[in-house]
Amino acid sequence: MTPQTRMLVNTLGDAAVAVPNFRCDILAWNSLFRKLFAAHLDFAAPDGERPNFITLNFLDENVRALYADWPLEARQNVSCLRYLAGAAGTTRDWAS
């Protein structure tokens, strides 16, 4: 995590903060976000194993249970994936 990202996360201490990249990988989060969204997850994973919002929303029952309208959330996640795939085009970063 860059020093600027760390500063942003620390500055917003009273809010739940998560910093995703363009693929929806969670690069950083603060303790309040973790408590609210995914207290059951260990964020001490190596760089290549970051939690991913889309993956969590579809495959993690604990996260899915957070949404009052899961079908709506699923449609929004699919729309997000379509947008991201179109915006990424053929860049190698999308697949890695």
Side-chain angles (χ1 to χ4, degrees), residues 10-32:
N10 291 338
T11 301
L12 300 171
D14 292 341
V17 178
V19 180
N21 65 11
F22 71 97
R23 292 183 311 207
C24 300
D25 298 325
I26 305 172
L27 302 177
W29 58 18
N30 65 5
S31 61
L32 181 56

Side-chain angles (χ1 to χ4, degrees), residues 30-52:
N30 65 5
S31 61
L32 181 56
F33 179 87
R34 184 172 182 272
K35 288 176 190 173
L36 292 172
F37 187 75
H40 63 289
L41 294 178
D42 178 17
F43 190 63
D47 284 346
E49 300 175 23
R50 300 279 186 206
N52 178 280

Side-chain angles (χ1 to χ4, degrees), residues 2-3 6 16 21 29 36 38-39 41 46-47 56-57 63 71 73 86:
T2 67
R6 171 66 62 204
N21 65 11
W29 58 18
L36 292 172
L41 294 178
D47 284 346
L56 290 172
N57 286 340
V63 173
E73 181 63 23

